[in-house]
């Protein structure tokens, strides 16, 4: 199939391939698990008000915080109960997903903006 | 399964541009079609997330109302803390940002063989996958007319009617609040409402009584929080009567008949027993046993166990998970992911998790919270609470009252914009 661009810049062609892969292959690991955080922390971790934004935090930061909460549940902390809902492997996937969407939304130009709109 | 030519078109790397260049009629024939019935938290979220996760899937949302009025926070409209516009959620962003087609019409019938939805205005909407999110329907109680005594368990005009009821309670008067047997929409909701009615009477009228008639044997959600509120915060105002069922109403005499005998009241909010939206029974989604109130579904995809290619999410589904806007959003994402995978020829995620959290105002300045996380149990094939995740706040606080607005605003945005 022919693209409607005469000489697509490399980044655009790559973006289309990535978009196609994202749309039709296996969903990115962790995406569905991470979507359960969005009710409070915003779609893809972009909180709108009054809650911590998760997009762009590092994998180590998110993973570290969640396993710490889970290991020492304080009764007055709603997030500690939420953290207890996931295995360590699931927490790793969630952390990696937020670290990735944060990075692609802010720093990697054409590819990321394409992925952002199509993911 | 998909037609081979549709699969092939979708796999081309230029499919996005090619699809955009086609006339809409041809495009409609080529791309997978999802029709969603009902624009509450479940329906809006599934429409948004299917489009976000694969914009080549066409999504049509069928909803007769121009906007959704959220039950979440609606007790704060009743007590005057918020206005209707604070809880009114429009569909504009679903259309403009995500390309969801909004059909302002009521779905009246489903043809699962021809795979079509028929609407009140006579349209026939074809689908490859249908998602039903119609919310709840109510049992009739003899003598009860919701136009006279609002249930306010679907927000909108009913919310304002209840607000007017509350404002009209005479000084020292009694307000009866009747809670149906579980499961019903929003487990802590009726107790939250009892607290805010008591708070309102305390602040505005002094004295007065709130008589809570609970069809259940005990407080269904947050028992510590609500027993403490009834016995301490609202001591002398709230009377709690468990195992009390409303059997009939004679409102001309201000009389409510229960299994323990009649009660007189100055005002009343009777919340009837609930079942899946009417369309489900009519479409065979509840099976042949009239005692079945909620749709049996596979919790990996929310596909009906009875009718293929029809998925049920939100309050109408019968997985045993709590019925709430937050959980409806949670299930909608599991369903959206399963639909995206289905059109790519894949099986659903074998280990879905659904997270629940909510805040309830207890006074005009404090709130509590309730949370639980569910995970799929492959042995039983059901969603089960994960150990150590079910909890209520140890005590209501002003900090949680603030947290409530952060939670609600993000939940509204994640579902509708």
């Amino acid at each position: 199939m022919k693209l409607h661009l005469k000489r697509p810049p490399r980044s655009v062609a790559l973006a289309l391939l990535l978009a196609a892969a994202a749309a039709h292959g296996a969903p990115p690991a962790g995406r569905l698990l991470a979507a359960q955080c969005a009710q409070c922390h915003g779609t893809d971790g972009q909180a709108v008000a009054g809650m911590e934004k998760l997009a762009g935090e590092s994998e180590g930061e998110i993973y570290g915080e969640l396993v710490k909460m889970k290991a020492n549940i304080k009764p007055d902390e709603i997030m500690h109960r939420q953290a207890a809902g996931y295995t360590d492997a699931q927490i790793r996937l969630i952390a990696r997903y937020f670290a990735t969407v944060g990075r692609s939304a802010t720093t990697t130009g054409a590819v990321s903006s394409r992925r952002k709109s199509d993911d | 399964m998909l037609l081979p030519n549709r699969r092939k078109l979708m796999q081309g790397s230029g499919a996005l541009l090619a699809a955009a260049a086609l006339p809409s009629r041809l495009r409609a024939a080529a791309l997978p079609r999802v029709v969603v019935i009902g624009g509450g938290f479940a329906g809006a979220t599934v429409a948004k997330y299917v489009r976000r996760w694969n914009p080549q899937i066409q999504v049509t949302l069928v909803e007769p109302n121009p906007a959704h009025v959220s039950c979440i926070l609606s007790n704060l409209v009743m007590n005057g803390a918020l206005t209707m516009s604070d809880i009114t959620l429009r569909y504009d962003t679903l259309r403009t940002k995500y390309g969801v087609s909004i059909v302002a019409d009521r779905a009246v019938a489903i043809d699962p063989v021809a795979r079509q939805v028929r609407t009140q205005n006579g349209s026939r909407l074809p689908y490859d996958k249908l998602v039903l999110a119609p919310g709840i329907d109510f049992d009739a109680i003899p003598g009860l007319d919701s136009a006279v005594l609002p249930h306010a368990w679907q927000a909108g005009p009913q919310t304002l009617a209840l607000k007017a009821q509350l404002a009209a309670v005479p000084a020292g008067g009694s307000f009866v609040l009747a809670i149906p047997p579980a499961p019903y929409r929003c487990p802590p909701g009726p107790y939250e409402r009892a607290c805010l009615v008591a708070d309102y009477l305390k602040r505005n009228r002094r004295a007065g009584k709130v008589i809570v008639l609970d069809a259940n044997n005990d407080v269904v959600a947050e028992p510590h929080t609500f027993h403490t509120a009834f016995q301490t915060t609202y001591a002398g105002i709230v009377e709690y009567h468990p195992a009390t069922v409303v059997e009939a109403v004679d409102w001309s005499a201000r009389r409510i008949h229960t299994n323990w005998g009649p009660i007189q009241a100055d005002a009343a909010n009777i919340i009837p027993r609930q079942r899946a939206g009417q369309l489900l029974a009519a479409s065979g989604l509840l099976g042949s046993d009239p005692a079945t109130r909620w749709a049996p579904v596979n919790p990996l995809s929310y596909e009906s166990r009875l009718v293929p290619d029809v998925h049920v999410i939100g309050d109408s589904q019968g997985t045993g998970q709590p019925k709430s806007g937050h959980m409806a959003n949670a299930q909608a994402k599991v369903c959206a992911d399963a639909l995206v995978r289905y059109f790519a020829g894949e099986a659903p995620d074998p280990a879905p998790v659904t997270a629940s959290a909510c805040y309830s105002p207890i006074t005009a300045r404090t709130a509590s919270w309730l949370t639980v996380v569910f995970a799929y149990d492959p042995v039983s094939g059901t969603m089960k609470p994960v150990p150590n995740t079910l909890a209520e706040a140890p005590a209501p606080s002003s900090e949680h009252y603030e947290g409530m607005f952060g939670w609600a605003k993000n939940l509204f945005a994640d579902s509708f914009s």
Side-chain angles (χ1 to χ4, degrees), chain B residues 119-378:
Chain B
T119 71
Q120 200 159 40
N121 294 345
S123 301
R124 286 172 192 279
L125 306 170
Y127 67 82
D128 296 304
K129 283 284 193 181
L130 176 64
V131 182
L132 295 182
I136 49 168
D137 224 330
F138 299 99
D139 281 10
I141 294 177
L144 178 66
D145 178 358
S146 68
V148 177
L149 279 187
H151 50 70
W153 221 241
Q154 284 162 327
Q158 286 270 311
T159 309
L160 292 174
L162 179 65
K163 183 183 175 172
Q165 275 267 318
L166 179 58
V169 175
S174 62
F175 187 108
V176 165
L177 194 152
I179 304 172
Y184 54 82
R185 164 178 286 180
C186 188
Y191 307 98
E192 165 190 315
R193 181 173 286 172
C195 287
L196 290 188
V197 168
D199 178 73
Y200 180 92
L201 295 179
K202 200 173 159 182
R203 283 186 295 124
N204 294 283
R205 307 264 174 203
R206 299 172 301 275
K209 278 255 182 271
V210 180
I211 300 161
V212 180
L213 310 179
D214 193 343
N216 302 286
N217 292 331
D218 196 0
V219 169
V220 167
E222 300 180 59
H224 169 73
T225 300
F226 290 114
H227 278 305
T228 307
F230 293 171
Q231 286 160 22
T232 310
T233 318
Y234 300 116
I237 302 173
V238 172
E239 268 179 29
Y240 178 69
H241 300 275
T244 305
V245 180
V246 172
E247 291 171 343
V249 176
D250 176 6
W251 198 241
S252 60
R254 298 288 186 272
R255 194 170 298 136
I256 295 161
H257 295 277
T258 77
N259 53 329
W260 302 109
I263 292 182
Q264 291 296 128
D266 294 304
N269 174 211
I270 293 161
I271 304 163
R273 192 172 181 188
Q274 293 152 35
R275 50 168 59 244
Q278 203 186 359
L279 191 58
L280 275 89
S283 309
L285 286 147
L286 303 184
S288 52
D289 181 357
T292 304
R293 289 179 173 267
W294 313 102
V297 296
N298 174 359
L300 294 179
S301 62
Y302 292 87
E303 186 170 18
S304 165
R305 300 232 188 243
L306 301 170
V307 182
D309 296 320
V310 178
H311 299 239
V312 183
I313 54 173
D315 293 349
S316 280
Q317 54 73 37
T319 61
Q321 297 170 93
K323 302 184 184 303
S324 71
H326 196 107
M327 278 307 282
N329 170 303
Q331 294 155 12
K333 289 161 180 170
V334 175
C335 179
D337 185 75
L339 293 176
V340 167
R341 288 173 190 257
Y342 168 80
F343 289 118
E346 290 175 24
D349 187 320
V353 175
T354 50
S356 176
C358 70
Y359 288 74
S360 281
I362 304 299
T363 70
R365 288 195 183 79
T366 63
S368 68
W369 51 252
L370 172 64
T371 187
V372 62
V373 178
F374 286 84
Y376 183 71
D377 170 36

Side-chain angles (χ1 to χ4, degrees), chain A residues 1 23-26 31-32 35-36 38-40 43-44 47-49 51 75-76 78 81-82 84-86 114 118-119, chain B residues 10 16 48-49 52-54 56 326 329-330 333 344 346 353-356 371 388-389 391 394 400 407 410-411 414:
Chain A
M1 202 169 288
H24 313 307
R31 185 174 73 180
L32 179 56
Q36 294 298 324
Q39 286 98 308
C40 292
T43 304
D44 268 349
V48 293
M51 288 282 178
D76 205 27
I78 191 170
R81 300 289 178 173
Q82 287 285 322
Y86 301 87
R114 188 76 220 183
D118 291 327
D119 261 0
Chain B
M10 288 176 64
L16 275 173
K48 166 177 165 174
Y49 272 81
R52 286 189 77 239
W53 287 344
N54 187 347
Q56 293 183 301
H326 196 107
N329 170 303
K333 289 161 180 170
E346 290 175 24
V353 175
T354 50
S356 176
T371 187
N388 292 325
T389 64
H400 299 332
W407 160 71
N410 279 284
L411 178 57
D414 185 47

Side-chain angles (χ1 to χ4, degrees), chain B residues 12-150:
Chain B
S13 63
L16 275 173
L17 292 172
L22 285 172
S24 61
R25 195 171 50 82
L26 291 177
R27 194 163 76 232
L31 297 173
R33 296 156 306 190
V34 171
V35 172
V36 180
I37 297 178
F41 284 90
T45 304
V46 77
K48 166 177 165 174
Y49 272 81
V50 166
R51 292 286 302 165
R52 286 189 77 239
W53 287 344
N54 187 347
Q56 293 183 301
I57 299 171
Q58 289 195 317
V59 177
T60 302
L61 176 65
V62 186
E63 167 58 55
N65 297 310
H68 180 67
V69 183
S70 167
C71 282
I72 293 169
L73 300 186
S74 66
N75 283 332
L76 294 175
V77 173
M78 175 193 75
N79 79 353
L82 299 180
T83 63
M84 287 298 278
S85 69
D86 295 319
I87 58 166
T88 300
L89 305 165
R90 302 194 59 83
Y91 302 118
D92 302 351
T93 314
L94 293 180
R95 198 181 64 242
T96 56
K97 186 169 173 188
Y98 300 104
V100 175
S101 304
I102 313 284
V103 172
D105 200 348
R106 187 181 300 278
V108 292
I110 296 163
D111 180 344
V113 178
R115 292 199 292 186
Q116 283 184 344
V117 173
R118 193 157 51 78
T119 71
Q120 200 159 40
N121 294 345
S123 301
R124 286 172 192 279
L125 306 170
Y127 67 82
D128 296 304
K129 283 284 193 181
L130 176 64
V131 182
L132 295 182
I136 49 168
D137 224 330
F138 299 99
D139 281 10
I141 294 177
L144 178 66
D145 178 358
S146 68
V148 177
L149 279 187

